[in-house]
Amino acid sequence: MTYIAKPKFAHPSLQPNAVGYTRRDYEGRVSTLCAGCGHDSISAAIVQACFELDLEPHRLAKLSGIGCSSKTPDYFLGASHGFNTVHGRMPSVLTGANLANRSLVYLGVSGDGDSASIGLGQFAHSIRRGVNMTYIVENNGVYGLTKGQFSATSDKGSKSKKGVVNHDSAIDMVSLALQLGATFVARSFSGDKAQLVPLIKAALRHKGAAFIDTISPCIAFNNHAGSTKSFDWVREHNEAVNRLDVMIGRSPITADYSEGSTVQVEQHDGTVLTLRKLAADYDPTDRIRAMGFLQERAAAGEVVTGLLYVDPEAEDLHDALGTTRTPLNELNTADLTPGSAALSDINASLR
Amino acid sequence: MPITAVNDFVVKFANVNGSGSASANGLFVKSILRSGVPVAARNIFPSNIQGLPTWYEVRVSGEGWMGRRGGVDLMVAMNPQTWDKDVAEIEPGGYLFYDSTRPMPADKFRSDITVIGAPLQRICNTAYSDPRQRQLFKNIIYIGVLAYLLGIENTVIETLLAEQFATKPKLIPANIEAFHMGVTYARENLKPLGLQVKTADAVGDRIFIEGNDAAGLGAVYGGATVCAWYPITPSTSLAESFTNWCQKLRVDKETGESKFAIVQAEDEIASIGMVVGAGWNGARAFTCTSGPGISLMQEFIGLSYFAEIPAVIFDVQRGGPSTGMPTRTQQSDILSAAYASHGDTKHVLLLPRDPGECFEFGAMAFDLADRLQTTIFVMLDLDMGMNEWLTEPFKWDDAKQLDRGKIMTAEMLDAGRDFGRYLDVDGDGVPFRTYPGTHPSKGAYFTRGTSRDRYARYSEEGAVYVDNMERLLRKFETAKSLVPQPIEAKAGKPTRFGVIHYGSTGPAMDEAMAALEAQGLYVDALRIRAFPFPGEVFDFIERHDLVFVIEQNRDAQLRTLLMAEGGVDPARLVKILHYEGAPITARFITKEITALMGAPVQSEMAK
Ligand SMILES: Cc1ncc(C[n+]2csc(CCOP(=O)(O)OP(=O)(O)O)c2C)c(N)n1
Ligand code: SF4
């Protein structure tokens, strides 16, 4: 009887990370989205970011609304609890989940229909409350799942697949998030993994509401000439203000500093964000200037990507509420129920 | 003949909203309670902050009848706007008390009532120069006059004033002085009425509290840690009460950290969304709202039902439909709550009768939500929620542990327990769940509102869908044994007639039953305390030839539920409906049942 040893995987991505998981442990079910959909690239970027961050998959909770984009949590982090909520209402569910257990990492995934139309209110309020989460909008400027209607992020004048011209102004979710007080605001492009992965990593480490608007072309309904969310259009009009490296305390710093000037921003948890500047004098800690810059570039027909704003000292909703460190869902009878003695005092005060 | 009665009459105060009368009226009621005489008091107020008419109806009942009786024996008419209506409401032989500073034409009075005037405004204008003081102290002065007229001890009110202003002791002497101005004026100028309060010992250890306040405390005892709400009358004070109780009882003294999280959401959709998120993640969470809020929450309620996520909703019902009568009471959300959301859904409703049960059911709702993994509605109404009611003292068993339901822990998963999120392991329709973050490699699943199999895998297979829907029915069946069981009050003699009632109708029904018996009409009464209906409800209907169903809505909603869920013959369920916005009265119930059971029925009974 011969004994054949199992071949050892040589592929570098199957090396375990610091918490003992391989890249594969961060994957989910096989995607049922159209082949080539931008959303799948974002899922891949999430997988890579979580792997590189050494996040234990089960300590992350992934929530979404309804839409093609909102289906994606099924396609990554299969060992995490996931929740497809209702259309446009993921932010409130995520807020509640976060209130119940502050010790998990929360990832909200949504579409532009989901977040900029039916869910605009919930999007806005979760951001202004400073819920500690990473909120990714997979922005294709169209309703994918219901087959190609314009969404509220479709640019004025852009064309649908059928040739209809959109006459309504677009909602720019990045500007909105800035205005609403998000403490981490970025925009990226599903086709630019080198930029997207570090942004997701930084957002996941950020304490407070981190928002990433990710242009994610819908190849079925919005990847034609005349669309401003197509692969080609975005590649041609993209201007990245910076490139990001995320350094977590213990890992060796390997970032390449050679190109352009760099700035380092240290977050509360010790994460260091190193930004290699492409746009001259772009300061990602200045909310007001970031807003002006975005407007200026949009007027010039450019899609600005990169880390647009970060407040490294941000606090979250739990800080505002003064909630106990122990996750609320771990409090037991003795912690919660004041008992009969307290009740007799209450009774006495009500006579 | 002027009415004479000891410890058994109705006083109604007609005031103007925003005039500061509420605390004076409250003082009046408490003084009677402290005299050992049971009282039921109801605010009847407009949907407006200032200037419109508001009434406060006080039922003094030594016998302990706590429903509204109907009719007014003494009207304290402080609002010229509603004078005619107020005067008309007085019982023949009753009393009218008014501010006689400005004379009223003779035709503004009735000849069959006793009129008592006191120049309140003049007394105030002489004593005070500040207009705000004139207004506020006028209220205390009329309490002084009434205390004399009705024979309430001065010391009782002095003690109450001292308690009321314990935190602002400077105000005590001024208030006591104003009170005495009223007493003195009355002693020197008026005679005591035929209506008297006589010190008794009929209150016992009962407490006096609003249903919303009691429910808020119930939520604390039930272990609720997350409250997400949006302001709406008449439920707002429930969230405010929860906040107050939490601040008293759940803030860690050493660290100052809160063992609760309360968020005023941007709307009702977000508030129920937060509740669902928190419930999914293993915290006990609730929202409180009223009819319009329930309408907005429908989609999430369906998600809670289908994805099986614990949630608690306190619905403090008001007059519907639409914005309806925001500050009037009804029991008109029963159907929309029972079947809330699209598709086939059914929800558990708890139907408390008074603040005592608001506390009890308020706490119980969280155990039920966790045990059944679904939305539990606690159905209050404005009458119970926003009025102080005399109720049994709250009780708590310290041995009781919060029942978290079927939770699969990391240990159980490691021990090899098969985990299928929607597996009916025990045959009761209730599956196990895991909390997010439980185990590195086992027990994670995907929650969705779309159809899925027993292992939570997306599936639109017909058989898989039906299997799931049938299990949800089994779970609803299980609920029948877990919810509060109905309570039957048997008539003094065997009878073939029954009454079914629920919620805040209870106190008026108790009195009506006694009044009917006094006329020789016997009915057994069943008070339903929850939906789904336990078998006892249908046994009761079965045991009676005719059952009157009493409700405070137009469409006999509970009756519809009884027909729909129990297949009861509609002819056997006779509607008795009261829905004009004020709480139902004992007189109304008595009159309706007497008419229905009149001569033909009595001769029937004699057979
Ligand atoms: C209340 C409600 N209204 C409408 C729908 C139908 N619906 C499903 S997905 C969707 C739009 C999805 O668009 P988007 O969020 O941009 O996601 P995409 O599919 O483009 O990724 C709509 C309108 C629904 N599920 N629920
Ligand atoms: S329809 Fe568009 S958004 Fe949906 S999966 Fe296909 S490509 Fe992606």
Side-chain angles (χ1 to χ4, degrees):
Chain A
M1 203 171 121
T2 50
Y3 174 75
I4 305 165
K6 259 189 174 176
K8 255 192 177 167
F9 281 104
H11 197 286
S13 67
L14 287 184
Q15 291 293 322
N17 59 11
V19 284
Y21 292 92
T22 68
R23 225 195 92 109
R24 189 134 304 159
D25 295 319
Y26 293 85
E27 288 169 0
R29 275 171 212 283
V30 177
S31 168
T32 60
L33 303 183
C34 309
C37 173
H39 299 350
D40 279 334
S41 313
I42 301 172
S43 296
I46 292 169
V47 167
Q48 195 175 327
C50 292
F51 170 75
E52 288 177 9
L53 276 185
D54 302 325
L55 245 166
E56 293 179 281
H58 73 293
R59 301 301 296 168
L60 180 142
K62 45 185 190 178
L63 296 98
S64 63
I66 300 287
C68 297
S69 34
S70 290
K71 283 177 156 188
T72 61
D74 213 7
Y75 314 143
F76 57 79
L77 296 172
S80 308
H81 275 69
F83 195 167
N84 253 160
T85 63
V86 292
H87 193 25
R89 322 293 184 189
M90 172 274 286
S92 63
V93 181
L94 191 154
T95 303
N98 184 297
L99 291 175
N101 184 355
R102 63 189 297 174
S103 75
L104 301 182
V105 173
Y106 292 91
L107 173 63
V109 178
S110 178
D112 46 304
D114 203 58
S115 279
S117 298
I118 189 168
L120 190 64
Q122 294 219 335
F123 162 76
H125 289 278
S126 67
I127 297 281
R128 66 177 264 272
R129 286 193 183 100
V131 180
N132 187 7
M133 62 179 172
T134 297
Y135 191 128
I136 299 178
V137 165
E138 306 191 344
N139 186 353
N140 53 16
V142 78
Y143 286 11
L145 197 61
T146 51
K147 302 197 171 176
Q149 302 80 7
F150 283 124
S151 88
T153 66
S154 310
D155 287 303
K156 191 168 187 165
S158 66
K159 274 199 191 129
S160 77
K161 200 177 173 184
K162 288 180 186 154
V164 180
V165 177
N166 179 35
H167 45 69
D168 298 337
S169 300
I171 290 176
D172 177 23
M173 300 205 70
V174 156
S175 302
L176 206 55
L178 279 171
Q179 198 278 323
L180 291 164
T183 46
F184 182 112
V185 181
R187 180 153 53 208
S188 191
F189 174 42
S190 65
D192 186 356
K193 224 171 158 188
Q195 184 194 49
L196 182 56
V197 172
L199 283 176
I200 296 174
K201 283 165 72 176
L204 286 168
R205 294 298 297 241
H206 178 73
K207 184 185 179 194
F211 174 64
I212 309 177
D213 181 32
T214 311
I215 315 268
S216 174
C218 168
I219 53 119
F221 301 108
N222 209 13
N223 195 32
H224 45 269
S227 156
T228 57
K229 298 279 193 294
S230 67
F231 280 107
D232 289 346
W233 202 93
V234 179
R235 284 210 178 93
E236 280 159 27
H237 295 79
N238 179 9
E239 190 205 313
V241 287
N242 48 40
R243 289 271 161 181
L244 185 61
D245 287 302
V246 181
M247 272 147 293
I248 301 150
R250 51 165 180 67
S251 60
I253 295 174
T254 56
D256 172 12
Y257 288 101
S258 56
E259 182 196 326
S261 68
T262 64
V263 66
Q264 300 208 329
V265 184
E266 189 177 339
Q267 298 212 94
H268 231 81
D269 66 350
T271 316
V272 180
L273 308 178
T274 299
L275 295 149
R276 272 169 294 155
K277 287 199 174 172
L278 302 181
D281 66 297
Y282 185 80
D283 175 6
T285 60
D286 185 337
R287 186 188 293 274
I288 315 268
R289 290 198 42 207
M291 291 167 91
F293 183 77
L294 274 170
Q295 300 294 326
E296 205 178 278
R297 289 311 169 96
E302 280 171 3
V303 185
V304 181
T305 61
L307 177 58
L308 303 168
Y309 175 73
V310 65
D311 171 4
E313 298 295 315
E315 296 207 319
D316 78 340
L317 177 59
H318 280 285
D319 293 326
L321 294 175
T323 333
T324 175
R325 299 269 117 201
T326 316
L328 293 176
N329 70 350
E330 285 174 21
L331 298 176
N332 55 34
T333 308
D335 295 317
L336 297 176
T337 297
S340 61
L343 202 53
S344 13
D345 291 347
I346 292 170
N347 282 328
S349 73
L350 296 169
R351 290 188 180 116
Chain B
M1 271 296 285
I3 301 171
T4 57
V6 176
N7 293 350
D8 182 15
F9 52 88
V10 175
V11 185
K12 192 165 178 176
F13 296 84
N15 295 107
V16 178
N17 216 12
S19 66
S21 55
S23 73
N25 296 344
L27 180 69
F28 174 76
V29 158
K30 274 237 157 154
S31 72
I32 297 171
L33 278 179
R34 288 286 176 91
S35 307
V37 182
V39 161
R42 286 180 171 84
N43 278 294
I44 299 163
F45 59 104
S47 180
N48 175 279
I49 307 297
Q50 220 169 11
L52 288 186
T54 171
W55 291 271
Y56 190 64
E57 190 179 283
V58 181
R59 171 96 192 261
V60 180
S61 173
E63 281 192 78
W65 300 124
M66 293 289 98
R68 277 181 79 219
R69 182 198 71 183
V72 177
D73 300 312
L74 165 60
M75 179 67 74
V76 181
M78 305 302 289
N79 185 358
Q81 267 177 283
T82 55
W83 179 273
D84 292 341
K85 179 179 184 293
D86 294 336
V87 171
E89 225 180 304
I90 302 169
E91 300 278 291
Y95 303 84
L96 169 70
F97 174 82
Y98 80 115
D99 180 355
S100 58
T101 306
R102 263 180 241 117
M104 292 288 268
D107 67 348
K108 285 286 181 189
F109 298 96
R110 269 167 51 188
S111 58
D112 62 338
I113 56 174
T114 307
V115 177
I116 309 119
L120 301 171
Q121 198 61 60
R122 193 184 326 136
I123 300 174
C124 277
N125 291 355
T126 319
Y128 307 102
S129 54
D130 173 18
R132 186 71 192 145
Q133 278 188 334
R134 282 179 176 170
Q135 178 62 56
L136 287 178
F137 285 122
K138 185 167 131 183
N139 300 324
I140 302 292
I141 293 170
Y142 76 60
I143 297 300
V145 178
L146 290 178
Y148 175 80
L149 292 175
L150 296 170
I152 300 167
E153 306 268 358
N154 291 352
T155 50
V156 171
I157 292 184
E158 286 160 4
T159 310
L160 282 168
L161 283 170
E163 286 174 20
Q164 187 179 331
F165 296 107
T167 52
K168 299 173 200 152
K170 273 196 214 141
L171 298 177
I172 300 173
N175 276 278
I176 291 185
E177 198 190 337
F179 167 68
H180 277 285
M181 277 184 222
V183 176
T184 309
Y185 176 85
R187 192 185 317 113
E188 288 168 3
N189 301 285
L190 306 170
K191 283 204 305 279
L193 307 185
L195 309 175
Q196 287 289 300
V197 174
K198 192 161 161 268
T199 305
D201 191 10
V203 173
D205 64 352
R206 276 181 286 177
I207 58 173
F208 196 55
I209 186 171
E210 289 179 3
N212 282 350
D213 204 4
L217 185 64
V220 172
Y221 274 77
T225 51
V226 175
C227 165
W229 66 290
Y230 190 74
I232 184 171
T233 304
S235 74
T236 300
S237 59
L238 204 161
E240 289 168 346
S241 151
F242 182 71
T243 309
N244 289 338
W245 291 120
C246 279
Q247 266 151 11
K248 281 198 189 101
L249 301 164
R250 286 261 199 86
V251 177
D252 190 299
K253 289 203 177 65
E254 276 155 36
T255 61
E257 288 178 354
S258 302
K259 293 181 196 149
F260 58 90
I262 300 166
V263 177
Q264 184 186 318
E266 60 269 31
D267 55 36
E268 284 84 354
I269 302 177
S271 56
I272 183 71
M274 289 180 205
V275 169
V276 165
W280 174 73
N281 214 1
R284 300 196 144 187
F286 75 95
T287 185
C288 49
T289 189
S290 191
I294 299 293
S295 294
L296 280 171
M297 293 177 185
Q298 300 282 316
E299 193 186 19
F300 263 127
I301 295 169
L303 180 68
S304 155
Y305 177 78
F306 198 49
E308 301 182 66
I309 297 166
V312 172
I313 300 176
F314 291 91
D315 177 6
V316 190
Q317 298 165 90
R318 64 187 214 180
S322 188
T323 321
M325 298 197 287
T327 60
R328 310 290 156 155
T329 199
Q330 270 185 1
Q331 298 176 310
S332 53
D333 298 348
I334 301 296
L335 277 176
S336 62
Y339 298 134
S341 199
H342 54 278
D344 292 322
T345 55
K346 287 175 197 269
H347 309 288
V348 175
L349 314 182
L350 304 182
L351 306 166
R353 158 196 158 111
D354 57 21
E357 283 191 348
C358 288
F359 172 78
E360 186 189 339
F361 293 6
M364 176 197 299
F366 294 91
D367 276 355
L368 282 174
D370 270 352
R371 175 121 304 268
L372 294 166
Q373 298 174 28
T374 195
T375 291
I376 308 292
F377 284 92
V378 188
M379 306 295 288
L380 288 76
D381 61 22
L382 182 143
D383 180 19
M384 189 191 321
M386 286 189 72
N387 287 313
E388 287 179 297
W389 286 34
L390 200 58
T391 191
E392 290 303 316
F394 302 137
K395 283 191 280 295
W396 192 256
D397 174 4
D398 287 325
K400 197 185 128 42
Q401 294 291 310
L402 302 177
D403 177 0
R404 305 309 311 261
K406 295 187 189 178
I407 309 295
M408 188 82 77
T409 60
E411 294 71 44
M412 291 157 83
L413 289 163
D414 277 332
R417 287 280 296 265
D418 181 19
F419 176 66
R421 171 65 181 100
Y422 299 109
L423 270 183
D424 188 1
V425 271
D426 302 316
D428 59 357
V430 185
F432 272 84
R433 62 179 179 138
T434 53
Y435 293 160
T438 296
H439 194 283
S441 57
K442 299 175 182 166
Y445 65 96
F446 207 86
T447 305
R448 43 163 64 90
T450 23
S451 180
R452 71 273 134 160
D453 68 9
R454 295 173 181 185
Y455 288 87
R457 292 172 301 218
Y458 177 74
S459 166
E460 288 181 19
E461 221 31 73
V464 167
Y465 172 80
V466 170
D467 174 63
N468 193 33
M469 292 298 281
E470 291 291 321
R471 182 180 51 76
L472 287 170
L473 274 187
R474 269 200 302 286
K475 182 159 96 171
F476 201 63
E477 199 57 34
T478 299
K480 289 183 183 170
S481 59
L482 300 178
V483 297
Q485 302 299 300
I487 295 178
E488 183 170 348
K490 280 216 182 297
K493 280 187 186 170
T495 170
R496 289 156 46 204
F497 296 89
V499 173
I500 282 179
H501 65 103
Y502 60 99
S504 63
T505 309
M509 184 60 223
D510 291 347
E511 186 180 359
M513 208 168 142
L516 289 165
E517 291 213 11
Q519 298 176 44
L521 298 175
Y522 293 90
V523 289
D524 293 330
L526 189 76
R527 181 164 70 86
I528 293 185
R529 301 202 296 164
F531 175 73
F533 305 122
E536 162 62 12
V537 172
F538 299 107
D539 292 347
F540 179 86
I541 298 173
E542 200 54 38
R543 280 189 278 119
H544 295 89
D545 292 346
L546 213 56
V547 176
F548 306 111
V549 184
I550 303 181
E551 306 189 55
Q552 303 189 58
N553 59 60
R554 184 192 70 179
D555 290 345
Q557 299 193 14
L558 189 88
R559 177 175 177 269
T560 302
L561 265 190
L562 287 166
M563 280 150 40
E565 299 288 323
V568 183
D569 174 6
R572 310 218 358 238
L573 298 177
V574 181
K575 311 173 203 178
I576 295 185
L577 306 171
H578 181 280
Y579 58 95
E580 39 95 300
I584 196 166
T585 63
R587 276 187 191 173
F588 175 85
I589 300 174
T590 311
K591 190 174 122 251
E592 293 289 308
I593 295 185
T594 307
L596 287 159
M597 283 179 76
V601 167
Q602 281 192 4
S603 60
E604 261 283 287
M605 284 166 68
K607 276 190 209 159

